[in-house]
Short mmCIF file of all heavy atoms in Angstrom, two decimals:
data_model
loop_
_atom_site.label_atom_id
_atom_site.label_comp_id
_atom_site.label_asym_id
_atom_site.label_seq_id
_atom_site.Cartn_x
_atom_site.Cartn_y
_atom_site.Cartn_z
N MET Q 13 136.01 91.65 14.59
CA MET Q 13 137.42 91.59 14.27
C MET Q 13 138.10 90.56 15.16
O MET Q 13 137.82 90.47 16.34
CB MET Q 13 138.05 92.98 14.45
CG MET Q 13 139.54 93.00 14.13
SD MET Q 13 140.26 94.63 14.21
CE MET Q 13 140.12 95.09 12.51
N ALA Q 14 139.00 89.80 14.58
CA ALA Q 14 139.70 88.76 15.32
C ALA Q 14 140.66 89.35 16.35
O ALA Q 14 141.26 90.39 16.12
CB ALA Q 14 140.46 87.86 14.36
N LYS Q 15 140.75 88.67 17.48
CA LYS Q 15 141.65 89.10 18.54
C LYS Q 15 143.09 88.74 18.16
O LYS Q 15 143.35 87.65 17.64
CB LYS Q 15 141.25 88.40 19.84
CG LYS Q 15 141.97 88.90 21.04
CD LYS Q 15 141.43 88.23 22.28
CE LYS Q 15 142.16 88.72 23.51
NZ LYS Q 15 141.68 88.10 24.72
N ARG Q 16 144.02 89.65 18.43
CA ARG Q 16 145.43 89.38 18.14
C ARG Q 16 145.98 88.34 19.09
O ARG Q 16 145.60 88.29 20.25
CB ARG Q 16 146.25 90.66 18.29
CG ARG Q 16 146.01 91.63 17.17
CD ARG Q 16 146.93 92.84 17.33
NE ARG Q 16 146.70 93.72 16.23
CZ ARG Q 16 147.63 94.15 15.41
NH1 ARG Q 16 148.88 93.80 15.60
NH2 ARG Q 16 147.35 94.93 14.41
N PRO Q 17 146.90 87.51 18.59
CA PRO Q 17 147.51 86.53 19.49
C PRO Q 17 148.34 87.24 20.57
O PRO Q 17 148.82 88.36 20.34
CB PRO Q 17 148.41 85.70 18.57
CG PRO Q 17 148.41 86.37 17.24
CD PRO Q 17 147.36 87.42 17.23
N PRO Q 18 148.51 86.62 21.73
CA PRO Q 18 149.22 87.28 22.82
C PRO Q 18 150.75 87.23 22.67
O PRO Q 18 151.48 87.51 23.60
CB PRO Q 18 148.77 86.48 24.05
CG PRO Q 18 148.47 85.13 23.51
CD PRO Q 18 147.92 85.35 22.13
N ILE Q 19 151.23 86.87 21.49
CA ILE Q 19 152.67 86.77 21.26
C ILE Q 19 153.19 88.08 20.68
O ILE Q 19 152.65 88.59 19.70
CB ILE Q 19 152.99 85.60 20.32
CG1 ILE Q 19 152.59 84.29 20.99
CG2 ILE Q 19 154.46 85.58 19.93
CD1 ILE Q 19 152.72 83.08 20.11
N THR Q 20 154.24 88.62 21.30
CA THR Q 20 154.90 89.81 20.79
C THR Q 20 156.18 89.38 20.09
O THR Q 20 156.65 88.27 20.29
CB THR Q 20 155.24 90.79 21.93
OG1 THR Q 20 156.13 90.14 22.84
CG2 THR Q 20 153.98 91.25 22.66
N ASN Q 21 156.73 90.27 19.27
CA ASN Q 21 157.98 89.91 18.61
C ASN Q 21 158.83 91.13 18.29
O ASN Q 21 158.32 92.25 18.28
CB ASN Q 21 157.71 89.08 17.35
CG ASN Q 21 157.15 89.91 16.22
OD1 ASN Q 21 157.89 90.64 15.57
ND2 ASN Q 21 155.85 89.80 15.97
N LYS Q 22 160.10 90.88 18.04
CA LYS Q 22 161.07 91.92 17.70
C LYS Q 22 161.66 91.64 16.32
O LYS Q 22 162.80 92.01 16.05
CB LYS Q 22 162.18 91.94 18.74
CG LYS Q 22 161.71 92.29 20.13
CD LYS Q 22 162.85 92.26 21.11
CE LYS Q 22 162.31 92.56 22.52
NZ LYS Q 22 163.36 92.41 23.52
N VAL Q 23 160.88 91.04 15.45
CA VAL Q 23 161.39 90.65 14.14
C VAL Q 23 161.82 91.88 13.35
O VAL Q 23 162.93 91.92 12.79
CB VAL Q 23 160.35 89.82 13.36
CG1 VAL Q 23 160.84 89.53 11.94
CG2 VAL Q 23 160.06 88.51 14.08
N ARG Q 24 161.00 92.89 13.30
CA ARG Q 24 161.35 94.09 12.53
C ARG Q 24 162.62 94.74 13.07
O ARG Q 24 163.51 95.11 12.30
CB ARG Q 24 160.19 95.08 12.55
CG ARG Q 24 160.47 96.29 11.69
CD ARG Q 24 159.31 97.23 11.64
NE ARG Q 24 159.56 98.24 10.64
CZ ARG Q 24 158.64 98.85 9.95
NH1 ARG Q 24 157.37 98.55 10.15
NH2 ARG Q 24 158.95 99.74 9.06
N GLN Q 25 162.73 94.87 14.39
CA GLN Q 25 163.91 95.48 14.99
C GLN Q 25 165.16 94.67 14.65
O GLN Q 25 166.22 95.24 14.37
CB GLN Q 25 163.77 95.61 16.52
CG GLN Q 25 162.68 96.55 16.97
CD GLN Q 25 161.33 95.87 17.16
OE1 GLN Q 25 160.93 94.98 16.41
NE2 GLN Q 25 160.59 96.30 18.17
N LEU Q 26 165.05 93.35 14.70
CA LEU Q 26 166.19 92.50 14.38
C LEU Q 26 166.57 92.60 12.91
O LEU Q 26 167.76 92.62 12.57
CB LEU Q 26 165.89 91.05 14.76
CG LEU Q 26 165.88 90.78 16.26
CD1 LEU Q 26 165.23 89.44 16.57
CD2 LEU Q 26 167.29 90.83 16.82
N ARG Q 27 165.57 92.67 12.03
CA ARG Q 27 165.88 92.84 10.60
C ARG Q 27 166.65 94.13 10.38
O ARG Q 27 167.65 94.16 9.66
CB ARG Q 27 164.59 92.90 9.77
CG ARG Q 27 164.02 91.63 9.35
CD ARG Q 27 162.94 91.75 8.27
NE ARG Q 27 161.95 92.79 8.47
CZ ARG Q 27 161.94 93.98 7.87
NH1 ARG Q 27 162.88 94.32 7.02
NH2 ARG Q 27 160.98 94.86 8.12
N GLU Q 28 166.18 95.21 11.01
CA GLU Q 28 166.83 96.51 10.84
C GLU Q 28 168.24 96.52 11.43
O GLU Q 28 169.14 97.14 10.88
CB GLU Q 28 165.97 97.61 11.46
CG GLU Q 28 164.67 97.82 10.69
CD GLU Q 28 163.68 98.75 11.37
OE1 GLU Q 28 163.92 99.15 12.53
OE2 GLU Q 28 162.65 99.07 10.75
N ALA Q 29 168.43 95.81 12.54
CA ALA Q 29 169.74 95.74 13.18
C ALA Q 29 170.73 94.87 12.39
O ALA Q 29 171.93 94.97 12.60
CB ALA Q 29 169.60 95.20 14.60
N HIS Q 30 170.23 94.06 11.50
CA HIS Q 30 171.08 93.18 10.71
C HIS Q 30 171.17 93.71 9.27
O HIS Q 30 170.79 93.03 8.31
CB HIS Q 30 170.57 91.74 10.74
CG HIS Q 30 170.90 91.03 12.00
ND1 HIS Q 30 170.22 91.26 13.17
CD2 HIS Q 30 171.87 90.14 12.29
CE1 HIS Q 30 170.74 90.52 14.12
NE2 HIS Q 30 171.75 89.83 13.62
N GLY Q 31 171.67 94.92 9.16
CA GLY Q 31 171.91 95.51 7.85
C GLY Q 31 170.66 95.83 7.06
O GLY Q 31 170.67 95.75 5.84
N ASN Q 32 169.59 96.19 7.76
CA ASN Q 32 168.32 96.48 7.10
C ASN Q 32 167.89 95.35 6.17
O ASN Q 32 167.51 95.57 5.02
CB ASN Q 32 168.37 97.82 6.35
CG ASN Q 32 168.26 98.99 7.28
OD1 ASN Q 32 167.54 98.96 8.26
ND2 ASN Q 32 169.01 100.04 6.98
N MET Q 33 167.95 94.13 6.69
CA MET Q 33 167.50 92.96 5.93
C MET Q 33 166.07 93.18 5.47
O MET Q 33 165.22 93.64 6.24
CB MET Q 33 167.58 91.71 6.82
CG MET Q 33 167.04 90.46 6.16
SD MET Q 33 166.97 89.05 7.30
CE MET Q 33 168.64 88.47 7.19
N SER Q 34 165.80 92.86 4.23
CA SER Q 34 164.44 93.04 3.72
C SER Q 34 163.53 91.91 4.21
O SER Q 34 163.99 90.84 4.62
CB SER Q 34 164.45 93.04 2.18
OG SER Q 34 164.76 91.74 1.69
N GLN Q 35 162.24 92.18 4.14
CA GLN Q 35 161.26 91.15 4.50
C GLN Q 35 161.39 89.97 3.55
O GLN Q 35 161.27 88.82 3.95
CB GLN Q 35 159.85 91.74 4.45
CG GLN Q 35 159.59 92.74 5.55
CD GLN Q 35 158.30 93.51 5.35
OE1 GLN Q 35 157.88 93.75 4.22
NE2 GLN Q 35 157.68 93.91 6.44
N SER Q 36 161.65 90.25 2.29
CA SER Q 36 161.81 89.17 1.29
C SER Q 36 163.02 88.30 1.61
O SER Q 36 162.95 87.07 1.48
CB SER Q 36 161.96 89.76 -0.11
OG SER Q 36 160.77 90.40 -0.50
N ALA Q 37 164.14 88.93 2.01
CA ALA Q 37 165.34 88.16 2.34
C ALA Q 37 165.09 87.27 3.55
O ALA Q 37 165.51 86.11 3.58
CB ALA Q 37 166.51 89.10 2.60
N LEU Q 38 164.40 87.80 4.56
CA LEU Q 38 164.07 86.99 5.73
C LEU Q 38 163.14 85.85 5.33
O LEU Q 38 163.33 84.70 5.75
CB LEU Q 38 163.45 87.83 6.85
CG LEU Q 38 163.03 87.06 8.09
CD1 LEU Q 38 164.20 86.32 8.72
CD2 LEU Q 38 162.38 88.00 9.11
N ALA Q 39 162.14 86.15 4.53
CA ALA Q 39 161.20 85.12 4.07
C ALA Q 39 161.94 83.99 3.36
O ALA Q 39 161.70 82.82 3.63
CB ALA Q 39 160.14 85.74 3.16
N ASP Q 40 162.87 84.35 2.49
CA ASP Q 40 163.65 83.34 1.78
C ASP Q 40 164.49 82.51 2.75
O ASP Q 40 164.60 81.30 2.61
CB ASP Q 40 164.57 83.99 0.74
CG ASP Q 40 163.81 84.55 -0.46
OD1 ASP Q 40 162.62 84.19 -0.65
OD2 ASP Q 40 164.40 85.36 -1.19
N ALA Q 41 165.07 83.18 3.74
CA ALA Q 41 165.94 82.49 4.70
C ALA Q 41 165.19 81.48 5.56
O ALA Q 41 165.75 80.46 5.96
CB ALA Q 41 166.64 83.52 5.60
N ILE Q 42 163.92 81.76 5.84
CA ILE Q 42 163.17 80.86 6.72
C ILE Q 42 162.14 80.01 5.98
O ILE Q 42 161.45 79.20 6.59
CB ILE Q 42 162.51 81.63 7.89
CG1 ILE Q 42 161.43 82.59 7.40
CG2 ILE Q 42 163.56 82.36 8.71
CD1 ILE Q 42 160.57 83.19 8.50
N GLY Q 43 162.01 80.20 4.68
CA GLY Q 43 161.13 79.35 3.88
C GLY Q 43 159.66 79.68 3.95
O GLY Q 43 158.82 78.77 3.91
N VAL Q 44 159.32 80.98 4.05
CA VAL Q 44 157.93 81.41 4.02
C VAL Q 44 157.79 82.54 3.00
O VAL Q 44 158.76 82.96 2.39
CB VAL Q 44 157.44 81.90 5.42
CG1 VAL Q 44 157.53 80.78 6.45
CG2 VAL Q 44 158.20 83.12 5.88
N THR Q 45 156.58 83.04 2.84
CA THR Q 45 156.37 84.15 1.92
C THR Q 45 156.62 85.49 2.63
O THR Q 45 156.59 85.57 3.86
CB THR Q 45 154.92 84.17 1.38
OG1 THR Q 45 154.02 84.42 2.47
CG2 THR Q 45 154.57 82.85 0.70
N ARG Q 46 156.83 86.51 1.84
CA ARG Q 46 157.00 87.86 2.38
C ARG Q 46 155.74 88.28 3.15
O ARG Q 46 155.81 88.93 4.19
CB ARG Q 46 157.28 88.85 1.25
CG ARG Q 46 157.47 90.27 1.72
CD ARG Q 46 157.84 91.19 0.54
NE ARG Q 46 157.59 92.56 0.90
CZ ARG Q 46 156.47 93.23 0.65
NH1 ARG Q 46 155.49 92.64 0.00
NH2 ARG Q 46 156.32 94.48 1.03
N GLN Q 47 154.58 87.89 2.65
CA GLN Q 47 153.32 88.23 3.32
C GLN Q 47 153.26 87.61 4.72
O GLN Q 47 152.71 88.22 5.64
CB GLN Q 47 152.12 87.77 2.48
CG GLN Q 47 151.91 88.58 1.22
CD GLN Q 47 152.87 88.24 0.09
OE1 GLN Q 47 153.52 87.19 0.10
NE2 GLN Q 47 152.98 89.13 -0.88
N THR Q 48 153.83 86.42 4.89
CA THR Q 48 153.87 85.79 6.21
C THR Q 48 154.76 86.59 7.15
O THR Q 48 154.39 86.82 8.31
CB THR Q 48 154.36 84.33 6.10
OG1 THR Q 48 153.45 83.60 5.28
CG2 THR Q 48 154.46 83.67 7.47
N VAL Q 49 155.90 87.05 6.67
CA VAL Q 49 156.79 87.88 7.50
C VAL Q 49 156.08 89.16 7.91
O VAL Q 49 156.15 89.57 9.07
CB VAL Q 49 158.12 88.18 6.77
CG1 VAL Q 49 158.95 89.21 7.54
CG2 VAL Q 49 158.91 86.90 6.55
N ILE Q 50 155.38 89.78 6.98
CA ILE Q 50 154.62 91.01 7.29
C ILE Q 50 153.60 90.73 8.39
O ILE Q 50 153.49 91.49 9.36
CB ILE Q 50 153.92 91.56 6.02
CG1 ILE Q 50 154.97 92.09 5.03
CG2 ILE Q 50 152.91 92.64 6.38
CD1 ILE Q 50 154.41 92.39 3.65
N ALA Q 51 152.85 89.65 8.26
CA ALA Q 51 151.83 89.31 9.26
C ALA Q 51 152.45 89.02 10.62
O ALA Q 51 151.90 89.42 11.66
CB ALA Q 51 151.00 88.11 8.78
N ILE Q 52 153.60 88.35 10.64
CA ILE Q 52 154.28 88.09 11.92
C ILE Q 52 154.70 89.41 12.55
O ILE Q 52 154.47 89.64 13.74
CB ILE Q 52 155.50 87.16 11.70
CG1 ILE Q 52 155.05 85.75 11.31
CG2 ILE Q 52 156.37 87.12 12.96
CD1 ILE Q 52 156.18 84.85 10.81
N GLU Q 53 155.34 90.28 11.76
CA GLU Q 53 155.80 91.57 12.29
C GLU Q 53 154.66 92.41 12.84
O GLU Q 53 154.82 93.10 13.84
CB GLU Q 53 156.53 92.36 11.20
CG GLU Q 53 157.89 91.82 10.87
CD GLU Q 53 158.65 92.66 9.88
OE1 GLU Q 53 158.12 93.67 9.36
OE2 GLU Q 53 159.80 92.32 9.62
N GLN Q 54 153.52 92.35 12.19
CA GLN Q 54 152.36 93.15 12.62
C GLN Q 54 151.57 92.50 13.75
O GLN Q 54 150.60 93.07 14.23
CB GLN Q 54 151.43 93.41 11.43
CG GLN Q 54 152.06 94.31 10.40
CD GLN Q 54 151.16 94.50 9.18
OE1 GLN Q 54 150.17 93.78 8.97
NE2 GLN Q 54 151.51 95.47 8.35
N GLY Q 55 151.99 91.31 14.17
CA GLY Q 55 151.31 90.63 15.25
C GLY Q 55 149.98 90.01 14.86
O GLY Q 55 149.16 89.67 15.70
N ARG Q 56 149.74 89.85 13.56
CA ARG Q 56 148.49 89.26 13.09
C ARG Q 56 148.59 87.75 12.94
O ARG Q 56 147.60 87.08 12.71
CB ARG Q 56 148.07 89.87 11.74
CG ARG Q 56 147.71 91.32 11.82
CD ARG Q 56 147.18 91.87 10.50
NE ARG Q 56 148.25 91.94 9.49
CZ ARG Q 56 148.29 91.21 8.38
NH1 ARG Q 56 147.34 90.35 8.10
NH2 ARG Q 56 149.28 91.35 7.52
N TYR Q 57 149.81 87.22 13.05
CA TYR Q 57 150.03 85.79 12.83
C TYR Q 57 151.13 85.30 13.75
O TYR Q 57 152.18 85.94 13.87
CB TYR Q 57 150.43 85.56 11.37
CG TYR Q 57 150.78 84.13 11.03
CD1 TYR Q 57 149.79 83.16 10.89
CD2 TYR Q 57 152.10 83.75 10.85
CE1 TYR Q 57 150.11 81.85 10.57
CE2 TYR Q 57 152.43 82.44 10.53
CZ TYR Q 57 151.43 81.50 10.40
OH TYR Q 57 151.75 80.21 10.08
N SER Q 58 150.90 84.19 14.41
CA SER Q 58 151.92 83.57 15.25
C SER Q 58 152.60 82.49 14.43
O SER Q 58 151.93 81.59 13.90
CB SER Q 58 151.28 82.93 16.49
OG SER Q 58 150.70 83.91 17.30
N PRO Q 59 153.91 82.56 14.30
CA PRO Q 59 154.60 81.57 13.47
C PRO Q 59 154.60 80.19 14.10
O PRO Q 59 154.44 80.05 15.32
CB PRO Q 59 156.03 82.12 13.39
CG PRO Q 59 156.20 82.88 14.65
CD PRO Q 59 154.85 83.49 14.92
N SER Q 60 154.81 79.19 13.27
CA SER Q 60 154.97 77.84 13.79
C SER Q 60 156.24 77.80 14.63
O SER Q 60 157.10 78.68 14.54
CB SER Q 60 155.09 76.84 12.64
OG SER Q 60 156.31 77.05 11.94
N LEU Q 61 156.35 76.78 15.44
CA LEU Q 61 157.55 76.61 16.25
C LEU Q 61 158.79 76.52 15.36
O LEU Q 61 159.83 77.13 15.65
CB LEU Q 61 157.41 75.37 17.14
CG LEU Q 61 158.53 75.11 18.13
CD1 LEU Q 61 158.74 76.31 19.06
CD2 LEU Q 61 158.23 73.86 18.93
N GLU Q 62 158.67 75.79 14.28
CA GLU Q 62 159.80 75.66 13.35
C GLU Q 62 160.21 77.02 12.78
O GLU Q 62 161.39 77.36 12.73
CB GLU Q 62 159.44 74.71 12.21
CG GLU Q 62 160.56 74.54 11.21
CD GLU Q 62 160.20 73.59 10.07
OE1 GLU Q 62 159.16 72.91 10.13
OE2 GLU Q 62 160.99 73.54 9.11
N SER Q 63 159.23 77.81 12.35
CA SER Q 63 159.55 79.14 11.82
C SER Q 63 160.15 80.04 12.88
O SER Q 63 161.06 80.83 12.60
CB SER Q 63 158.30 79.79 11.23
OG SER Q 63 157.89 79.12 10.06
N ALA Q 64 159.66 79.94 14.10
CA ALA Q 64 160.21 80.75 15.20
C ALA Q 64 161.69 80.41 15.41
O ALA Q 64 162.52 81.32 15.58
CB ALA Q 64 159.42 80.52 16.48
N PHE Q 65 162.03 79.13 15.39
CA PHE Q 65 163.43 78.73 15.52
C PHE Q 65 164.25 79.21 14.33
O PHE Q 65 165.38 79.67 14.49
CB PHE Q 65 163.56 77.21 15.68
CG PHE Q 65 163.44 76.75 17.10
CD1 PHE Q 65 162.26 76.16 17.54
CD2 PHE Q 65 164.48 76.91 17.99
CE1 PHE Q 65 162.13 75.73 18.85
CE2 PHE Q 65 164.35 76.48 19.31
CZ PHE Q 65 163.18 75.89 19.74
N ARG Q 66 163.70 79.11 13.14
CA ARG Q 66 164.43 79.56 11.94
C ARG Q 66 164.70 81.06 12.01
O ARG Q 66 165.79 81.52 11.66
CB ARG Q 66 163.65 79.22 10.68
CG ARG Q 66 163.65 77.74 10.35
CD ARG Q 66 162.83 77.48 9.08
NE ARG Q 66 162.68 76.08 8.82
CZ ARG Q 66 163.52 75.37 8.06
NH1 ARG Q 66 164.55 75.94 7.51
NH2 ARG Q 66 163.30 74.08 7.88
N ILE Q 67 163.72 81.84 12.46
CA ILE Q 67 163.90 83.28 12.59
C ILE Q 67 165.00 83.58 13.60
O ILE Q 67 165.92 84.36 13.34
CB ILE Q 67 162.58 83.97 13.00
CG1 ILE Q 67 161.58 83.91 11.84
CG2 ILE Q 67 162.83 85.42 13.42
CD1 ILE Q 67 160.15 84.28 12.23
N SER Q 68 164.92 82.96 14.77
CA SER Q 68 165.92 83.23 15.81
C SER Q 68 167.31 82.83 15.36
O SER Q 68 168.28 83.56 15.60
CB SER Q 68 165.54 82.54 17.12
OG SER Q 68 165.59 81.15 17.01
N ARG Q 69 167.44 81.72 14.68
CA ARG Q 69 168.77 81.28 14.21
C ARG Q 69 169.30 82.17 13.10
O ARG Q 69 170.51 82.37 12.99
CB ARG Q 69 168.71 79.83 13.78
CG ARG Q 69 168.52 78.95 15.00
CD ARG Q 69 168.82 77.53 14.76
NE ARG Q 69 168.72 76.81 16.05
CZ ARG Q 69 168.65 75.52 16.15
NH1 ARG Q 69 168.71 74.78 15.06
NH2 ARG Q 69 168.57 74.95 17.33
N THR Q 70 168.42 82.71 12.29
CA THR Q 70 168.85 83.64 11.24
C THR Q 70 169.55 84.85 11.86
O THR Q 70 170.53 85.35 11.32
CB THR Q 70 167.63 84.10 10.40
OG1 THR Q 70 167.08 82.96 9.73
CG2 THR Q 70 168.03 85.15 9.37
N PHE Q 71 169.05 85.28 13.02
CA PHE Q 71 169.62 86.45 13.68
C PHE Q 71 170.64 86.08 14.76
O PHE Q 71 171.21 86.97 15.41
CB PHE Q 71 168.51 87.31 14.27
CG PHE Q 71 167.58 87.87 13.23
CD1 PHE Q 71 166.23 87.61 13.26
CD2 PHE Q 71 168.07 88.66 12.20
CE1 PHE Q 71 165.38 88.12 12.29
CE2 PHE Q 71 167.23 89.17 11.22
CZ PHE Q 71 165.89 88.90 11.27
N GLY Q 72 170.86 84.81 14.99
CA GLY Q 72 171.85 84.37 15.96
C GLY Q 72 171.47 84.65 17.40
O GLY Q 72 172.33 84.92 18.24
N VAL Q 73 170.18 84.59 17.69
CA VAL Q 73 169.68 84.83 19.05
C VAL Q 73 168.73 83.70 19.44
O VAL Q 73 168.34 82.89 18.60
CB VAL Q 73 168.96 86.21 19.17
CG1 VAL Q 73 169.90 87.35 18.87
CG2 VAL Q 73 167.74 86.27 18.25
N GLY Q 74 168.34 83.66 20.70
CA GLY Q 74 167.39 82.67 21.17
C GLY Q 74 165.96 83.04 20.81
O GLY Q 74 165.66 84.20 20.54
N VAL Q 75 165.09 82.04 20.82
CA VAL Q 75 163.68 82.27 20.49
C VAL Q 75 163.07 83.32 21.41
O VAL Q 75 162.32 84.19 20.97
CB VAL Q 75 162.88 80.95 20.56
CG1 VAL Q 75 161.39 81.19 20.39
CG2 VAL Q 75 163.38 79.98 19.50
N GLU Q 76 163.42 83.27 22.70
CA GLU Q 76 162.85 84.23 23.65
C GLU Q 76 163.41 85.65 23.47
O GLU Q 76 162.86 86.60 24.01
CB GLU Q 76 163.03 83.74 25.08
CG GLU Q 76 162.13 82.56 25.37
CD GLU Q 76 162.15 82.15 26.83
OE1 GLU Q 76 163.01 82.61 27.59
OE2 GLU Q 76 161.29 81.34 27.19
N ASP Q 77 164.49 85.78 22.72
CA ASP Q 77 165.00 87.11 22.38
C ASP Q 77 164.20 87.72 21.24
O ASP Q 77 164.25 88.92 21.01
CB ASP Q 77 166.47 87.05 21.99
CG ASP Q 77 167.35 86.63 23.15
OD1 ASP Q 77 167.08 87.07 24.30
OD2 ASP Q 77 168.30 85.84 22.94
N VAL Q 78 163.48 86.89 20.50
CA VAL Q 78 162.67 87.35 19.37
C VAL Q 78 161.21 87.46 19.77
O VAL Q 78 160.54 88.44 19.43
CB VAL Q 78 162.80 86.39 18.15
CG1 VAL Q 78 161.98 86.90 16.98
CG2 VAL Q 78 164.25 86.19 17.76
N PHE Q 79 160.72 86.47 20.50
CA PHE Q 79 159.29 86.40 20.82
C PHE Q 79 159.03 86.48 22.31
O PHE Q 79 159.82 85.99 23.10
CB PHE Q 79 158.70 85.08 20.28
CG PHE Q 79 158.80 84.96 18.79
CD1 PHE Q 79 159.84 84.27 18.21
CD2 PHE Q 79 157.87 85.57 17.97
CE1 PHE Q 79 159.96 84.16 16.83
CE2 PHE Q 79 157.96 85.48 16.59
CZ PHE Q 79 159.02 84.78 16.03
N GLY Q 80 157.92 87.12 22.66
CA GLY Q 80 157.51 87.23 24.05
C GLY Q 80 156.04 86.90 24.18
O GLY Q 80 155.32 86.75 23.18
N TRP Q 81 155.59 86.81 25.42
CA TRP Q 81 154.19 86.46 25.69
C TRP Q 81 153.57 87.56 26.55
O TRP Q 81 154.08 87.90 27.60
CB TRP Q 81 154.14 85.13 26.45
CG TRP Q 81 152.77 84.65 26.77
CD1 TRP Q 81 152.06 84.87 27.92
CD2 TRP Q 81 151.91 83.87 25.93
NE1 TRP Q 81 150.83 84.27 27.85
CE2 TRP Q 81 150.71 83.65 26.63
CE3 TRP Q 81 152.06 83.34 24.66
CZ2 TRP Q 81 149.67 82.92 26.10
CZ3 TRP Q 81 151.00 82.61 24.13
CH2 TRP Q 81 149.82 82.41 24.85
N GLU Q 82 152.46 88.12 26.06
CA GLU Q 82 151.72 89.13 26.82
C GLU Q 82 150.60 88.42 27.56
O GLU Q 82 149.91 87.60 26.99
CB GLU Q 82 151.10 90.17 25.89
CG GLU Q 82 152.04 91.20 25.40
CD GLU Q 82 151.30 92.26 24.58
OE1 GLU Q 82 150.10 92.11 24.30
OE2 GLU Q 82 151.96 93.23 24.20
N GLY Q 83 150.42 88.81 28.79
CA GLY Q 83 149.29 88.21 29.47
C GLY Q 83 149.49 87.96 30.91
O GLY Q 83 150.35 88.14 31.62
#
């Protein structure tokens, strides 16, 4: 089994805090598929730098408020 990336995130918590935004709505806002959002939330996929910025700007927070580094 593949090792998970050492990046943590608060995407799900931020979606819920912003009016229970759906995964589909977030995916549309940042230009990816819903499956990509699911993988990011589950820690199975590390987003590109561009997607990380798009996610943080969607929620009006900094990148480091969304993503962290374990290790």
Side-chain angles (χ1 to χ4, degrees):
M13 180 175 266
K15 188 175 180 180
R16 287 184 179 236
I19 296 174
T20 61
N21 73 77
K22 297 178 183 174
V23 175
R24 184 177 189 150
Q25 295 90 322
L26 288 165
R27 274 194 315 100
E28 292 171 354
H30 282 76
N32 283 323
M33 176 187 277
S34 69
Q35 291 169 329
S36 294
L38 178 59
D40 289 344
I42 66 170
V44 299
T45 65
R46 180 177 162 266
Q47 289 77 16
T48 299
V49 171
I50 291 168
I52 291 168
E53 287 185 356
Q54 293 177 347
R56 294 185 290 114
Y57 176 75
S58 296
S60 68
L61 184 57
E62 180 180 350
S63 291
F65 274 103
R66 288 179 186 268
I67 291 167
S68 66
R69 290 196 175 166
T70 297
F71 297 122
V73 298
V75 173
E76 289 187 348
D77 295 321
V78 181
F79 298 96
W81 181 266
E82 281 185 354

